Amino acid sequence: MAVADRGGNRVYVLDTQKRQLEKELSVSSPRDVLWSRGNALMILSEEGKLYLWTEGEPSLLLEGLKDAWALSESIQGLIVWDVAGNVLWNGVEYPPVAGMATMMCLAAPGSVGGENPQAVFRAYVGEPAHSLFPRGRSFVSAVWMGRKMEGTIVPRASGEDRGVLLLGGAGRAEETKDLPVAVLQDGAMLLSALRQACKDTGTLPSCLVVDAAIPFSPEDLERLFSMALNNGIRVYALATQIPSAPLARLVRMTGGRVMPTERLDALPFAPKASWEIRVPLPVDALPSGYPSEAMLSIYVDAGSLTLRDWIPYWPVGFDMGAQPLAP
């Protein structure tokens, strides 16, 4: 939590779980504050200056925002309103390029045979890269068996939205109706409990609703965060108690939110966004059984956003009379 003290020229960052002051920032006449999805604190001052803080001292992002009054957030990004509500400034927060590149995960490899064989993949793009993915055309390039190829990427229709509730105790499991439930004593049980909850479908859910009472270690949260980003899963926190700061940040960075309600029949279901990537394959190249020789690298150029991933790939249904080609 952050609180602006306009008269005292201070912004206080509070740890709501420990109920103590975490950081005191010096900012001239702060008017409004807002936590972004990228876990940065945005600070708007009386002078029309916009600051960003993650650590150390706040850095100046913009100035000259005349009569700027309040901050808010939309799916598109940050919004700054003027005092009359007639003018607004809209901005998009871009995380570091190096971190964004790894937010695509290839899954469900397949192939199309015939005269023009193709490799087919499903691609999941995690937040915040997903919200920045353009609606216009994107370009795909691939490298496989020493060959360079150009492919295509198109949005894929989402299947039925599904969620899984992760509870810290079994006492309320009967209230969840048809929602799959996994009961965790601690975060170390995450993967095994989730596997059990999804055994009927065999696929990961579109969203996870995590009981804030579950004790997570930093390693547990890192594992959950990685799984969510790599599979396009939104994580929500069920506020049975005040969520820890790391869990609250994880929730926002995966596109979810903290739910200040205990009504389990009103849980959100977010569509699991995915794309289909197709890459033409040479008919005269067959990899050996070694994953290193069969590695397929895919790069997606989406304007200001670049994504990449690698996956071992052995085509199915090709003419096996072709001779293996050394990479």
Side-chain angles (χ1 to χ4, degrees), residues 71 80 116 121 140 171 198 234 265 301 308 313 323:
L71 300 173
V80 183
N116 301 302
F121 301 92
V140 176
C198 299
R234 289 179 172 87
D265 59 347
D301 182 0
R308 66 173 185 265
Y313 180 74
Q323 296 298 315

Side-chain angles (χ1 to χ4, degrees), residues 142-149 280-282 284-288 291-297 313 324-327:
V143 178
W144 185 67
M145 298 293 294
R147 308 286 185 90
K148 293 183 179 180
M149 300 155 287
L281 294 176
D284 59 346
L286 285 177
S288 67
S292 59
E293 295 184 2
M295 194 65 65
L296 175 65
S297 303
Y313 180 74
L325 182 66

Side-chain angles (χ1 to χ4, degrees), residues 87-234:
V87 179
L88 62 85
W89 295 268
N90 186 22
V92 177
E93 181 185 9
Y94 277 83
V97 174
M100 294 284 284
T102 61
M103 290 187 181
M104 180 180 72
C105 180
L106 298 174
S111 61
V112 176
E115 296 182 357
N116 301 302
Q118 293 179 319
V120 183
F121 301 92
R122 187 180 306 169
Y124 295 111
V125 179
E127 290 282 350
H130 173 219
S131 60
L132 300 176
F133 208 84
R135 296 183 179 181
R137 184 180 180 185
S138 300
F139 300 90
V140 176
S141 58
V143 178
W144 185 67
M145 298 293 294
R147 308 286 185 90
K148 293 183 179 180
M149 300 155 287
E150 294 184 357
T152 60
I153 180 170
V154 295
R156 187 177 186 274
S158 300
E160 181 182 358
D161 297 340
R162 299 186 305 105
V164 170
L165 176 64
L166 304 179
L167 285 177
R172 299 172 59 213
E174 68 278 0
E175 304 175 35
T176 61
K177 298 183 179 181
D178 297 329
L179 191 68
V181 177
V183 178
L184 281 68
Q185 302 303 320
D186 55 58
M189 301 173 59
L190 171 67
L191 295 183
S192 59
L194 187 58
R195 187 181 302 112
Q196 181 68 21
C198 299
K199 65 179 181 180
D200 292 336
T201 61
T203 59
L204 290 171
S206 60
C207 67
L208 290 175
V209 184
V210 180
D211 189 342
I214 299 174
F216 283 98
S217 69
E219 292 76 16
D220 297 333
L221 288 176
E222 183 177 341
R223 189 178 301 112
L224 173 60
F225 186 50
S226 176
M227 182 187 68
L229 287 183
N230 285 334
N231 294 280
I233 299 174
R234 289 179 172 87

Side-chain angles (χ1 to χ4, degrees), residues 270-326:
K272 190 175 182 182
S274 65
W275 285 260
E276 182 178 270
I277 293 179
R278 289 177 175 256
V279 176
L281 294 176
V283 295
D284 59 346
L286 285 177
S288 67
Y290 294 98
S292 59
E293 295 184 2
M295 194 65 65
L296 175 65
S297 303
I298 291 184
Y299 303 84
V300 177
D301 182 0
S304 58
L305 185 65
T306 301
L307 303 169
R308 66 173 185 265
D309 197 16
W310 301 265
I311 188 171
Y313 180 74
W314 292 273
V316 177
F318 278 25
D319 180 6
M320 299 308 292
Q323 296 298 315
L325 182 66

